[in-house]
Amino acid sequence: MAEGGLNIRRHGRDPLGRLLERLSFAFAVGSGLVLTAMALMSMWSIVGRWLFNSPLMGDFELVQLMTVMAVSLTLPYTQWARGHVIVDFFTTKAPESVRRALDLVAHAVMAAVAALVCWRCYLGGVDAYENFEMSMMWGLPLWWGYLPLVPSFGLFAVISVYSMVEILRGDQA
């Protein structure tokens, strides 16, 4: 197991860092609220099916939407806390400069992928809105599901770029 681990107590060292920390934490709290709502809804459906033979119809649609929302809302904080899985088996004995360069490349790739997903989610949401796409059981507009994805992946990309700046400044947490 690698040294270090999840850096839950990481704090921003400048105004932008503190803002990113607060925003990512707020998104993570939002994820927890979505997960709580999803658990309560699932319990309602199960109890309704068991006791009254009346489950919540289409609960699977809501679970799908809420799962995507919950996962996307956690990504910025996971990046902030540096909680993503890192396979450093081959680099543990590498010089610090090599590890920093690899971290820089990893954050750059992460920022690029997050920005790409942000952009594609935006386009997908606009497309779902313009084409009046609805869920089958509830008739909910599908573009609602895209709403948290765009800011989540956007913040994820910004935090990844900020992490690159930290490495370049030499004040990596």
Side-chain angles (χ1 to χ4, degrees):
M1 183 179 233
E3 292 296 320
L6 186 60
N7 191 358
I8 294 174
R9 300 188 191 275
R10 178 178 173 215
H11 297 291
R13 297 181 184 185
D14 56 19
L16 178 59
R18 287 188 288 278
L19 175 65
L20 293 175
E21 176 186 7
R22 282 189 218 108
L23 283 173
S24 65
F25 184 77
F27 278 44
V29 169
S31 173
L33 294 174
V34 170
L35 286 171
T36 301
M38 186 168 58
L40 292 172
M41 183 204 56
S42 294
M43 185 179 72
W44 175 21
S45 183
I46 291 166
V47 169
R49 181 180 298 119
W50 178 53
L51 292 179
F52 308 110
N53 197 24
S54 178
L56 181 61
M57 297 306 292
D59 59 346
F60 61 91
E61 284 184 349
L62 296 175
V63 167
Q64 288 173 347
L65 271 172
M66 294 168 93
T67 300
V68 170
M69 289 179 189
V71 169
S72 72
L73 287 169
T74 62
L75 291 173
Y77 189 74
T78 304
Q79 179 66 13
W80 176 259
R82 293 199 170 96
H84 293 291
V85 175
I86 297 172
V87 181
D88 59 357
F89 179 76
F90 297 107
T91 61
T92 53
K93 296 187 181 188
E96 178 66 23
S97 60
V98 170
R99 288 196 310 262
R100 284 173 44 113
L102 290 173
D103 284 346
L104 192 63
V105 169
H107 287 301
V109 170
M110 193 84 71
V113 170
L116 176 67
V117 172
C118 176
W119 172 56
R120 296 306 302 171
C121 285
Y122 170 77
L123 294 178
V126 168
D127 187 57
Y129 177 81
E130 289 175 349
N131 291 308
F132 304 103
E133 292 182 35
M134 303 282 188
S135 64
M136 294 186 84
M137 298 290 291
W138 280 69
L140 294 173
L142 290 184
W143 64 268
W144 289 358
Y146 289 91
L147 281 178
L149 298 179
V150 175
S152 293
F153 279 99
L155 182 58
F156 183 16
V158 169
I159 291 173
S160 297
V161 170
Y162 183 81
S163 298
M164 292 169 55
V165 171
E166 285 184 314
I167 292 170
L168 292 171
R169 284 192 311 210
D171 62 356
Q172 182 177 353

